[in-house]
Amino acid sequence: MSQAAPAQAAPRGDAPAAAPAAGPRGVLDHDAYRAQRYFPALDGVRAVAVMLVFTVHVKYEDFWKHFAGGNGVTMFFVLSGFLITTLALREEGRRGALSLRSFYIRRLFRIYPTYFGVLALYCVLIYGAGFVPERRGLFSDQLPYYVLGFPEHGYFGLKGIESGPPFAAAWSIGIEEKFYLVWPLLGFVFLRGRFRARIAACVIAAVCCVTAPSLWDGGVYLREYVFIVIGVMLALALHERRWYDRLRLLASRGVVLATFAALAALQVAGVLDEQPVRVLDGILVAVALAGIVMSARSDTAWLRARPMVFLGQVSYVFYLTHNFALNFVEKTPLGKQTLLWSFADVIVAFPLAVLIAWAIHASFERPLTRVGHRLAHRDKPFHAV
């Protein structure tokens, strides 16, 4: 999940997010791009990604598997690499360096209170209320990994088990937290201000991530980082004026629509299980993000619509908790294994999942994130991502 926080508060819920001013063709120049302190359309991208993830866990797989919902996590990874790096580059430009102390405090309060809160809820339901007794042993085996920061172990280490451990969906949080730990040190301390060295480091990292799974069994743990690296490289390129001007073509209407169409085709083609195709898909996601952040035209306005922005803002909690709503609804008379009944499941479970996410976001996640901002000496309006 992408947990990057934009540099200012999102527009309030009583007004739709506005697009930035753009030139006659709806493409921002570099100064206008650098002046943006919030990308509302990227909340919309986050909403698309989390809706895809939701489809993965609908019980009637014969239909919903064709949405390739797991690709939503790929979108989150590319988006995370792009946003974290973009905001770090802008802080570096304003202040001369990225404040690691501030960065790590914000990440700590942004990720872990909600993560451990949801994990505690799983423990109460499994050990206290006796839920899913057939999977309790598997959950117990993985619990140390969940607590110690390696939730991806239950996803990669136990691959092949038909019914994975409860809370296994948190595997992507483990990937992102290690990116948050390593990249600020590497990119903004050891390679501070060095564009070519940063790009070279990203190329080397991408090659290692792609080849590692074929060289040793543990290499599968590195596989997903290639998508974050793709997002990082996009951020580095767009931050530089000369590369931004070269890439403005990606924001043209034809390229944006063609990229959207290509991504949609890959989603339903049933080929995203192959890693080379997934890498291609990650590159297309990055191309789409470039077009989105450089464009203020109507063809990306749907991503800035109020419902999309709202869902993007609560997407982290939604990602961690949406299974509660699905599991509850599928244990009611709606949970019949037919196509039409699965639509009924989704129609009921999705708004319920949004309601749960909003309640936790408003009462728990948002206040604690504000605490993190205050401790990091960045007392600014809150925006949840």
Side-chain angles (χ1 to χ4, degrees):
M1 285 284 295
S2 171
Q3 309 308 324
Q8 74 171 21
R12 298 220 178 245
D14 55 359
R25 295 185 178 180
V27 180
L28 306 177
D29 62 25
H30 190 246
D31 291 334
Y33 166 75
R34 290 279 297 269
Q36 288 187 92
R37 300 188 64 191
Y38 167 54
F39 300 100
L42 296 189
D43 275 332
V45 173
R46 200 172 286 108
V48 172
V50 83
M51 284 189 284
L52 285 173
V53 172
F54 182 86
T55 67
V56 174
H57 301 113
V58 179
K59 194 172 182 180
Y60 187 76
E61 297 181 356
D62 290 350
F63 172 76
W64 296 99
K65 68 181 180 182
H66 297 295
F67 283 84
N71 194 44
V73 178
T74 299
M75 297 172 65
F76 277 126
F77 285 153
V78 178
L79 183 59
S80 183
F82 171 77
L83 270 176
I84 285 290
T85 305
T86 294
L87 298 177
L89 286 168
R90 292 183 179 185
E91 181 176 335
E92 182 183 65
R94 292 192 309 270
R95 304 182 179 186
L98 172 68
S99 170
L100 290 179
R101 175 186 178 277
S102 177
F103 177 86
Y104 287 132
I105 289 175
R106 295 195 312 272
R107 292 298 93 201
L108 179 69
F109 279 85
R110 178 67 185 87
I111 298 171
Y112 287 111
T114 302
Y115 174 88
F116 282 112
V118 175
L119 179 59
L121 180 57
Y122 268 92
C123 290
V124 169
L125 293 175
I126 292 172
Y127 296 124
F131 279 46
V132 291
E134 72 281 2
R135 299 169 67 194
R136 185 181 305 160
L138 198 53
F139 180 77
S140 297
D141 291 341
Q142 296 308 305
L143 189 56
Y145 295 99
Y146 293 150
V147 172
L148 297 176
F150 293 92
E152 63 268 41
H153 178 270
Y155 181 80
F156 293 114
L158 302 181
K159 189 174 182 180
I161 295 180
E162 183 175 354
S163 181
F167 202 55
W171 70 272
S172 64
I173 309 304
I175 300 295
E176 296 217 20
E177 68 186 3
K178 293 168 187 61
F179 161 66
Y180 299 146
L181 179 64
V182 173
W183 175 238
L185 283 170
L186 175 62
F188 294 89
V189 175
F190 298 110
L191 302 178
R192 187 173 71 183
R194 299 169 61 187
F195 172 75
R196 291 183 179 178
R198 285 166 169 166
I199 291 293
C202 288
V203 171
I204 293 170
V207 171
C208 291
C209 293
V210 170
T211 58
S214 61
L215 298 178
W216 60 295
D217 292 341
V220 69
Y221 285 88
L222 300 178
R223 185 183 66 197
E224 302 301 313
Y225 289 96
V226 67
F227 305 111
I228 297 179
V229 172
I230 289 171
V232 169
M233 294 180 71
L234 174 64
L236 292 171
L238 293 185
H239 193 72
E240 296 290 316
R241 183 182 298 275
R242 64 184 184 277
W243 282 102
Y244 184 94
D245 290 340
R246 293 169 181 171
L247 294 173
R248 285 183 68 184
L249 174 66
L250 301 180
S252 64
R253 186 183 301 273
V255 173
V256 169
L257 294 179
T259 305
F260 286 174
L263 286 169
L266 283 177
Q267 282 293 135
V268 299
V271 294
L272 284 174
D273 290 336
E274 300 296 328
Q275 186 66 1
V277 181
R278 291 188 66 221
V279 173
L280 172 61
D281 181 75
I283 294 171
L284 285 175
V285 170
V287 171
L289 290 184
I292 289 167
V293 298
M294 290 191 287
S295 169
R297 293 189 311 272
S298 59
D299 48 21
T300 59
W302 62 280
L303 291 168
R304 299 188 294 270
R306 188 182 306 164
M308 298 293 286
V309 171
F310 169 78
L311 182 56
Q313 290 171 356
V314 302
S315 60
Y316 178 44
V317 183
F318 183 97
Y319 180 84
L320 291 176
T321 62
H322 66 274
N323 270 326
F324 293 133
L326 271 170
N327 291 341
F328 171 76
V329 171
E330 288 172 347
K331 292 184 183 302
T332 70
L334 293 175
K336 298 177 182 177
Q337 286 295 289
T338 67
L339 176 59
L340 291 179
W341 281 105
S342 75
F343 281 109
D345 291 344
V346 170
I347 290 171
V348 176
F350 185 80
L352 178 59
V354 172
L355 179 61
I356 293 171
W358 172 81
I360 297 174
H361 164 77
S363 64
F364 185 76
E365 178 193 28
R366 181 166 57 185
L368 286 170
T369 303
R370 283 174 168 162
V371 170
H373 278 280
R374 286 196 294 270
L375 291 176
H377 302 294
R378 302 190 90 186
D379 192 8
K380 63 185 183 181
F382 173 79
H383 173 66
V385 180

